[in-house]
Amino acid sequence: MNDKCFFDSNMLVYMMDASEPQKQAKARALFSECIANNSAVISTQCLQEFYNVTANKLKQDKLNIKKIIHNYSEHIPTVQISPSLIEKAIDISIQTQFSFWDSLIVSAASYAKCSILYSEDLNDGQIVEGVKIQNPLK
């Protein structure tokens, strides 16, 4: 696997979600593989959503989540959300009928020149802006 792979926040959350052991194992294995190949990419939006869900829904320790986020941002290329990515997300949202937030994920993946976007929430197999959406948890 040499292609860059963008991880939606739901994939990061599943790595912490012990209530879904099969999804947790799949997400962890895929993430580990991409980390080993230096192909994983995330965005600041993903880190924000990861924090929100793991702290509020999964009730994880907030300082531990902060350490995980720090580790991710230190070792994984992280796309910073900019006004131009927001504008592109609006165009993607109009084109695909995706929510703005999902479109912002696609916009970031495209900007980072990722060929794959791993997400449980989007249309498996669809290609948007040159990025193929894959649901590895199905």
Side-chain angles (χ1 to χ4, degrees):
M1 177 185 304
N2 296 327
D3 295 332
K4 288 189 198 176
C5 305
F6 195 95
F7 282 79
D8 195 346
S9 54
N10 56 48
M11 299 298 294
L12 302 178
V13 169
Y14 275 122
M15 290 193 297
M16 300 283 292
D17 190 355
S19 72
E20 297 270 6
Q22 290 180 332
K23 289 182 178 183
Q24 183 182 47
K26 285 182 180 180
R28 285 181 175 181
L30 182 60
F31 193 71
S32 293
E33 180 183 347
C34 291
I35 293 295
N37 292 322
N38 293 315
S39 60
V41 178
I42 56 176
S43 70
T44 52
Q45 175 191 358
C46 292
L47 295 176
Q48 293 167 329
E49 291 175 0
F50 170 76
Y51 176 82
N52 186 51
V53 173
T54 55
N56 297 315
K57 182 179 175 191
L58 300 182
K59 305 297 184 197
Q60 297 284 325
D61 178 73
K62 292 177 180 179
L63 289 177
N64 186 50
I65 300 166
K66 181 180 175 184
K67 289 177 189 175
I68 292 168
I69 288 172
H70 177 79
N71 189 43
Y72 286 169
S73 64
E74 286 288 310
H75 297 99
I76 302 169
T78 304
V79 175
Q80 301 261 345
I81 301 303
S82 66
S84 63
L85 289 179
I86 292 169
E87 289 178 20
K88 185 65 177 174
I90 293 167
D91 294 340
I92 291 169
S93 179
I94 292 166
Q95 171 195 355
T96 63
Q97 299 302 303
F98 289 171
S99 74
F100 169 75
W101 301 111
D102 288 342
S103 297
L104 193 53
I105 293 288
V106 174
S107 177
S110 175
Y111 173 81
K113 298 183 179 12
C114 294
S115 59
I116 300 168
L117 165 56
Y118 290 121
S119 177
E120 185 184 46
D121 295 340
L122 298 170
N123 300 331
D124 187 42
Q126 185 173 358
I127 299 172
V128 181
E129 295 293 316
V131 180
K132 185 174 184 178
I133 299 163
Q134 289 187 5
N135 178 358
L137 304 178
K138 63 179 181 176

